[in-house]
Amino acid sequence: NGRGAGDAGRAAGEAGGEAGGGAGGAGGIAAARAVEAITHRLDLVTAATRLLLENATFSESVALQRCARLLAAELATWVIVDVDRRHRLRRQVVMGPADRESEQLARAVTAVDPQPGSAPCQVHESGSSMLIAHAEDAGILGTGAGDVPLLMQLGATSVLCVPLSDGEQSYGVLTLARRANEPHFEIADLGLVEELGEQLALAIRVDRMFRRRTEIADSLQASLLPRELPAVPGVEIAAAYVAATEGLEVGGDFYDAYRTPDGWGVSIGDVCGKGEHAAAVTAAARHAIRVLAHTDPDPAGVLRQANELMLAEEYDGRFVTACAAHLQWRDGRLHAVLGSAGHPGPVLIRADGRVRMLAGGGMPLGLFPDAEPAGQDVELSPGDLLFLFTDGVTDARSPELAYFEERLTDALASLAGRPAAEVVSAMQTLVVEFSMNDLRDDMTMLALRAGAAPAA
């Protein structure tokens, strides 16, 4: 619509010029050209905005390169982007004409960071734009290889520098340069480029915000899971945690494996909600179960005491579902005592392919003072595998809204006899493919496979 208006205005002006043949006609042509210029600027701003909005990866470097390429094609011969890295400007992007010679020059200029006193450094320090319509100082952009001024290497005579600022913080400088055979920069160009610089600054701000939140979430999640699983004599242990596809907040799943005075213990759980508060509840539940297991070999008793501890604290109504197990070798068979607090029951896969869904039951931790965890005992022969999981596995949905819970036992039966690590890896792949990589919830798996009984 903008271009149409510009074309129409220009045509009208030219028609008026032909008809009037005098000052009126010249004025009409000037007005048409002004409309066309304004339209072009609006189109450029719109294109830059769309480009930044379509940057779904929130990648700072990608956004800068794409915008520099757009500006080099539409507004200036050379575009240079310098970004503040630890309070010092670093050259990030140099974009020019699309030919081999210019590409080689662009690489050479990219290798040279802005020098003190150069236009980019002055703009960054002052926070004010700089418009040099006719550059007389050849060193205004600094020098490159052989102390040759960059302005001369670029063949530029007109320079425009604006800060990349969102109004609160300056992230760097955007520099445009035009050659002698091109129109020099004017005040109208300054306003346009300042607006584009503000958009780029906002894009950088968003990218860094998402990266920072992702790093925080990753750090919090890493603190909720063991760095490595201990070696349990005669038992293969493997685990996997996969975060939900959407959202950057830390999840509430956890798993753990630890030594007890007369055996080994494992636990797995899921906290209601996400974010920092859920992470605090997750950490409290995981460490409470681990500590209590050192004095009580009964997982049901451990969960009962963990419930009392959680009720003594204020966790804003958040609750935890958990399953804990105590492992001990007896007469060549691995004896497992299980306790459940509102958590899905594990699956027992015999070496011959038989599958048994074990009962879960019990009430989640942190809700009621008289909640009694459920308990049961199972024995594993060599080759048998115990598969513990969170509801992110069973609640995974296909595009047709089918649940993976319907396929769980068949999938595990097909993996009977395989090592624990292979079972976890295969199940992870199956769930991700089933949901078309659209996980609505975090999923955690913990597999225990009995091997040969260790020597006494």
Side-chain angles (χ1 to χ4, degrees), residues 345-395:
V347 182
L348 177 60
I349 305 98
R350 298 294 184 185
D352 59 9
R354 290 177 297 153
V355 176
R356 175 187 168 194
M357 292 287 299
L358 302 180
M363 294 297 296
L365 307 177
L367 289 179
F368 305 107
D370 56 349
E372 185 64 27
Q376 60 184 317
D377 296 7
V378 295
E379 285 191 345
L380 283 72
S381 301
D384 293 346
L385 184 139
L386 190 63
F387 185 79
L388 298 87
F389 58 93
T390 60
D391 59 8
V393 175
T394 51
D395 289 349

Side-chain angles (χ1 to χ4, degrees), residues 92-329:
Q92 187 78 12
V93 179
V94 177
M95 199 69 65
D99 57 73
R100 180 171 297 181
E101 182 178 353
S102 298
E103 290 175 357
Q104 293 177 348
L105 178 57
R107 285 194 291 269
V109 176
T110 303
V112 181
D113 288 330
Q115 300 160 357
S118 64
C121 286
Q122 293 182 45
V123 169
H124 186 55
E125 292 171 359
S126 66
S128 300
S129 301
M130 181 182 294
L131 170 60
I132 308 175
H134 302 279
E136 298 180 357
D137 181 5
I140 192 63
L141 295 181
T143 59
D147 291 332
V148 178
L150 292 181
L151 192 72
M152 295 178 60
Q153 292 187 40
L154 299 176
T157 58
S158 187
V159 176
L160 177 57
C161 287
V162 301
L164 298 178
S165 174
D166 59 1
E168 298 180 1
Q169 182 176 350
S170 179
Y171 298 95
V173 177
L174 173 63
T175 302
L176 279 68
R178 285 177 176 170
R179 293 172 174 171
N181 60 345
E182 298 172 335
H184 58 266
F185 287 111
E186 300 176 345
I187 294 297
D189 298 312
L190 178 61
L192 171 64
V193 178
E194 283 182 334
E195 183 175 351
L196 295 174
E198 183 177 350
Q199 291 191 24
L200 271 174
L202 291 173
I204 294 174
R205 178 180 178 180
V206 169
D207 170 70
R208 295 184 180 181
M209 178 187 70
F210 273 87
R211 278 193 296 168
R212 183 162 55 249
R213 291 186 63 184
T214 300
E215 291 169 358
I216 292 173
D218 290 344
S219 298
L220 279 173
Q221 192 64 61
S223 69
L224 304 178
L225 305 174
R227 294 184 179 181
E228 58 181 2
L229 293 169
V232 179
V235 181
E236 297 175 11
I237 302 183
Y241 166 81
V242 182
T245 307
E246 298 180 357
L248 296 175
E249 292 185 309
V250 61
D253 285 12
F254 70 90
Y255 67 86
D256 203 358
Y258 38 86
R259 184 69 187 265
T260 65
D262 57 348
W264 294 86
V266 296
S267 64
I268 189 170
D270 187 4
V271 176
C272 169
K274 288 181 176 292
E276 291 81 358
H277 295 296
V281 180
T282 301
R286 176 196 167 198
H287 291 292
I289 292 172
R290 170 186 276 261
V291 171
L292 293 169
H294 280 271
T295 58
D296 190 346
D298 179 20
V302 169
L303 295 175
R304 189 182 305 111
Q305 295 178 71
N307 183 56
E308 294 173 358
L309 292 176
M310 293 192 62
L311 288 172
E313 301 292 336
E314 295 183 1
Y315 289 119
D316 298 328
R318 297 185 185 274
F319 58 87
V320 181
T321 69
C323 180
H326 183 259
L327 309 175
Q328 190 178 51
W329 283 99

